[in-house]
Amino acid sequence: MGLRSHHLSLGLLLLFLLPPECLGAEGRLALKLFRDLFTNYTSALRPVADTDQTLNVTLEVTLSQIIDMDERNQVLTLYLWIRQEWTDAYLRWDPNAYGGLDAIRIPSSLVWRPDIVLYNKADAQPPGSASTNVVLRHDGAVRWDAPAITRSSCRVDVAAFPFDAQRCGLTFGSWTHGGHQLDVRPRGAAASLADFVENVEWRVLGMPARRRVLTYGCCSEPYPDVTFTLLLRRRAAAYVCNLLLPCVLISLLAPLAFHLPADSGEKVSLGVTVLLALTVFQLLLAESMPPAESVPLIGKYYMATMTMVTFSTALTILIMNLHYCGPSAHPVPAWARALLLGHLARGLCVRERGEPCGQSRPHESSLSLEPPEGGAGHPEGPCHEPRCLCRQEALLRHVATIANTFHSHRAAQRCHEDWKRLARVMDRFFLGIFFSMALVMSLLVLVQAL
């Protein structure tokens, strides 16, 4: 831009140096007009006839492209076309005196320009003006169109990430002139989006303009400014596919640990694997998010899912302890037998093999065989007869001992089976609870995407 301005200024200098006979009729008129206008003109002072008069500047902004939105540093980079219009009281002429020439284009460095800058600039470089031409009309109206790449500060709220909407303001105003010397007003109610290039991550909802008049602590006079508020909504499709859907599928996989057989030895391993996978996705999310007081929506979903998986893994360990209760364990308490092995087992359709759904196994009372007591009338002591009753009583005592041992073993086995059945009931119960929780949480998050 500086080289181009140098060339334009050099061209005007050549107009002064060239003899008029070397120029055409239109060129001679433009040269004459230029000499007449800028002979005693200075660009150092406000171009007003009265120093108490306020100079009105009209500001128009056209959004061309969103270059970058840096959430971590909270800096918005835009490519804008900025148009400023004002009236120069010292640059007027009669078009009839110059062959109907009513407008000329000259370098902007030759005329007075308003010192309108971006207040919330987030760039280390000092503000500079683009060296483009201005259009000067015969009535003194000056129009200055200049492109600009702006870096402005923008407070990014990631509470609803990745379904968030942002509001970024760009405040323009004069840096040294107060409201009594220079008044800036927007042209129209909003910035123009006619030439906007669509962004892959952000959808522009609008860019309304608002004029304010503020008084700062440094100065007593008011300072007007114009704020263009860029309304953005994030396109969440990429984040849903890359961050949200994997977490949803993993969260739905975690409750299936309750459905695995306890003898497989993989119930706890599945819960720990799911927890590690969620931790990896949580680290990927933390790298892309700025440090903020508010936790993003997807971050809350990740933490809730990790908490659910942690509790499910802990409950899986407790249920496995119930499953592996040995024969020496105490019997199932009466309340647990009635409530869990009775009503809850029928409601969850947990049954033994061959048992119809909805019916519980009746409790078997332990039987014990006791040897018959010696009847009256039978003589005691040794008997030499082979079919004597005393020999039958000894045989019955041995059979009763074997039967009692068998029933004791059967009772211990039945106690172990009761604990295993109780573990299956608890597995089925927590499978429904945690699967419903995972499904509800996933639906609540996915509804935000619609």
Side-chain angles (χ1 to χ4, degrees):
M1 288 296 182
L3 183 60
R4 183 179 177 184
S5 174
H6 176 70
H7 288 168
L8 290 173
S9 302
L10 184 59
L12 290 173
L13 182 60
L14 290 176
L15 288 178
F16 283 104
L17 297 178
L18 287 177
E21 58 271 10
C22 296
L23 301 175
E26 185 176 355
R28 288 194 298 269
L29 292 175
L31 177 59
K32 183 178 183 301
L33 175 60
F34 183 82
R35 288 175 175 175
D36 294 342
L37 289 177
F38 289 93
T39 299
N40 296 319
Y41 181 82
T42 177
S43 60
L45 300 177
R46 284 189 312 125
V48 291
D50 187 359
T51 55
D52 295 334
Q53 182 181 355
T54 302
L55 181 63
N56 297 320
V57 178
T58 304
L59 184 65
E60 182 180 0
V61 170
T62 299
L63 178 61
S64 179
Q65 185 181 2
I66 298 176
I67 298 178
D68 182 43
M69 167 66 89
D70 189 354
E71 290 97 344
R72 181 168 293 274
N73 297 318
Q74 299 194 5
V75 174
L76 174 65
T77 306
L78 301 175
Y79 179 53
L80 305 175
W81 297 345
I82 302 177
R83 170 175 291 184
Q84 303 178 47
E85 296 180 350
W86 67 93
T87 300
D88 196 317
Y90 302 115
L91 298 178
R92 296 177 178 176
W93 72 91
D94 184 7
N96 297 325
Y98 296 93
L101 188 62
D102 61 346
I104 58 173
R105 287 165 175 81
I106 58 176
S108 58
S109 59
L110 299 178
V111 300
W112 178 89
R113 292 174 298 182
D115 58 341
I116 293 179
V117 297
L118 180 63
Y119 282 174
N120 56 332
K121 193 172 183 289
D123 198 348
Q125 298 180 358
S129 301
S131 298
T132 56
N133 288 349
V134 297
V135 179
L136 180 61
R137 297 187 58 84
H138 66 91
D139 56 355
V142 183
R143 189 186 68 197
W144 181 26
D145 296 329
I149 295 180
T150 62
R151 289 173 52 86
S152 59
S153 58
C154 176
R155 185 180 181 277
V156 181
D157 184 12
V158 295
F161 177 85
F163 311 106
D164 54 331
Q166 306 297 335
R167 297 171 58 92
C168 298
L170 287 86
T171 303
F172 294 91
S174 176
W175 190 252
T176 58
H177 295 92
H180 301 303
Q181 297 176 335
L182 191 148
D183 187 13
V184 56
R185 294 180 180 273
R187 178 181 291 276
S192 175
L193 303 176
D195 299 310
F196 177 69
V197 179
E198 291 293 333
N199 189 268
V200 295
E201 185 177 1
W202 297 96
R203 184 169 67 252
V204 177
L205 305 180
M207 197 172 179
R210 182 167 61 97
R211 179 180 178 270
R212 302 180 305 172
V213 179
L214 302 178
T215 301
Y216 298 96
C218 65
C219 312
S220 59
E221 56 182 337
Y223 279 80
D225 61 52
V226 175
T227 300
F228 294 90
T229 305
L230 182 60
L231 307 179
L232 300 173
R233 182 173 295 278
R234 193 187 302 271
R235 302 181 189 270
Y239 296 96
V240 169
C241 295
N242 297 328
L243 292 178
L244 189 57
L245 280 183
C247 182
V248 171
L249 297 178
I250 291 174
S251 66
L252 295 178
L253 183 64
L256 295 181
F258 294 107
H259 194 63
L260 278 177
D263 297 330
S264 65
E266 299 294 335
K267 292 173 71 70
V268 179
S269 300
L270 177 60
V272 174
T273 303
V274 170
L275 191 60
L276 290 177
L278 290 174
T279 304
V280 172
F281 280 101
Q282 178 72 18
L283 292 177
L284 293 177
L285 177 65
E287 290 180 357
S288 60
M289 285 292 95
E293 296 180 358
S294 58
V295 181
L297 176 64
I298 189 173
K300 296 177 181 178
Y301 176 70
Y302 272 53
M303 289 189 294
T305 304
M306 294 173 67
T307 304
M308 183 191 70
V309 174
T310 302
F311 276 107
S312 66
T313 305
L315 289 173
T316 300
I317 296 174
L318 296 178
I319 292 174
M320 289 185 66
N321 286 331
L322 296 179
H323 177 84
Y324 286 106
C325 281
S328 60
H330 294 285
V332 177
W335 66 268
R337 183 182 299 278
L339 180 63
L340 301 180
L341 296 181
H343 302 289
L344 189 59
R346 286 195 300 268
L348 298 176
C349 200
V350 179
R351 61 185 185 276
E352 298 287 350
R353 183 176 299 176
E355 179 184 345
C357 182
Q359 297 182 6
S360 61
R361 174 177 51 82
H363 176 63
E364 296 182 1
S365 60
S366 60
L367 300 176
S368 63
L369 296 178
E370 300 200 359
E373 299 179 356
H378 295 284
E380 296 181 357
C383 180
H384 300 285
E385 296 183 3
R387 296 185 178 181
C388 182
L389 291 177
C390 62
R391 295 180 179 274
Q392 296 178 3
E393 291 175 359
L395 180 62
L396 287 176
R397 281 196 297 271
H398 289 298
V399 172
T401 302
I402 296 173
N404 288 333
T405 303
F406 173 76
H407 281 293
S408 298
H409 177 72
R410 185 63 183 272
Q413 186 178 7
R414 177 59 62 183
C415 178
H416 180 56
E417 292 294 331
D418 287 343
W419 284 112
K420 292 174 66 176
R421 189 161 181 257
L422 179 62
R424 289 198 302 272
V425 172
M426 299 304 294
D427 269 335
R428 187 72 60 85
F429 175 74
F430 286 116
L431 172 64
I433 293 295
F434 280 90
F435 192 83
S436 300
M437 291 174 56
L439 187 61
V440 169
M441 288 191 305
S442 302
L443 290 178
L444 290 178
V445 175
L446 291 177
V447 163
Q448 301 291 330
L450 302 179

